[in-house]
Amino acid sequence: MMKILNLYCSITGNTKKVALQIEKTVKSLGMMEVTTIEVTKDSDPNAFDLLDFDFIFMGSGVYTWLPPQVMIDFCRAMLKKHVDRGDVKSCAPRIDKKRAVTYSTFGGPHTGVNEAIFAPKFLGQLLDHLGFEIIAEWLIEGQFNSKNEFYRRFNTEGRMGNITGRPDENDLQRVANWVTGVLKV
């Protein structure tokens, strides 16, 4: 049975919607065990081992082009743990049948999708260093869930057009299709 880790950080709820869709889709496919973990400021990188999983979905929102600081700190602590244990090798050799997908939810009011491309790449570096093959980087539109009117207006005034209510059912169905595709390969 394939062991899947669904690891995510969600500050405003957009990434959580995607992570829950990933979990739901994996469960519907059967023959796979999925563990879903939300990274928060209190998350302990020693609570689990990335190398115990065959496939990892890892996601976050995008804040000034990168994951939120809590996810950056968690990735750094997780990398340190694996370096200290000797899991990170020169040339980061691939481990057979260890694969991953990284993803980010984003609004992109200023430069569109270009604001988001670095976040999944950042997330992927932790897994790539461990020997996972990153088979996809997904970018999913998400509205600004802010109490600050300055940011909320970007839901309709940004380069992405009207992103109010995103990720919506169409976005989540697209995620379900992507999950099904990568897990059936």
Side-chain angles (χ1 to χ4, degrees):
M1 177 177 289
M2 183 186 295
K3 289 182 67 177
I4 297 173
L5 176 61
N6 181 24
L7 184 67
Y8 73 97
C9 180
S10 187
I11 304 299
T12 67
N14 290 337
T15 306
K16 184 172 190 166
K17 286 182 188 178
V18 173
L20 294 177
Q21 181 64 53
I22 290 169
E23 178 182 59
K24 177 182 168 185
T25 304
V26 170
K27 286 180 177 179
S28 75
L29 294 172
M31 301 296 294
M32 296 173 217
E33 176 186 321
V34 61
T35 301
T36 298
I37 298 173
E38 182 174 6
V39 173
T40 67
K41 64 180 175 58
D42 298 320
S43 294
D44 179 5
N46 295 308
F48 61 94
D49 190 333
L50 295 171
L51 292 170
D52 286 344
F53 297 91
D54 305 305
F55 199 105
I56 297 176
F57 291 96
M58 188 174 194
S60 76
V62 176
Y63 298 86
T64 317
W65 318 297
L66 292 172
Q69 192 63 49
V70 65
M71 189 64 154
I72 291 171
D73 293 344
F74 181 82
C75 288
R76 287 182 176 150
M78 187 64 81
L79 179 61
K80 180 181 181 335
K81 173 182 94 171
H82 284 286
V83 166
D84 290 349
R85 283 190 356 194
D87 296 332
V88 176
K89 313 275 190 257
S90 296
C91 298
R94 294 279 177 250
I95 301 172
D96 191 38
K97 298 184 181 177
K98 297 276 188 188
R99 293 184 175 82
V101 167
T102 58
Y103 66 92
S104 292
T105 56
F106 73 102
H110 301 106
T111 61
V113 72
N114 291 335
E115 292 187 36
I117 58 176
F118 298 110
K121 290 191 178 305
F122 178 93
L123 296 173
Q125 279 302 293
L126 169 60
L127 303 173
D128 198 7
H129 274 74
L130 289 172
F132 282 80
E133 177 185 2
I134 311 304
I135 62 170
E137 296 170 339
W138 300 337
L139 300 171
I140 302 116
E141 294 85 352
Q143 77 176 13
F144 285 85
N145 293 321
S146 175
K147 293 178 183 170
N148 185 321
E149 179 57 36
F150 177 78
Y151 292 108
R152 281 199 328 265
R153 69 188 176 101
F154 290 152
N155 287 326
T156 56
E157 297 177 10
R159 191 178 274 188
M160 303 294 296
N162 188 345
I163 58 170
T164 304
R166 309 273 305 267
D168 58 21
E169 288 305 314
N170 291 329
D171 297 315
L172 297 177
Q173 182 57 56
R174 187 176 45 168
V175 168
N177 293 340
W178 289 342
V179 169
T180 301
V182 298
L183 291 178
K184 287 194 172 186
V185 172

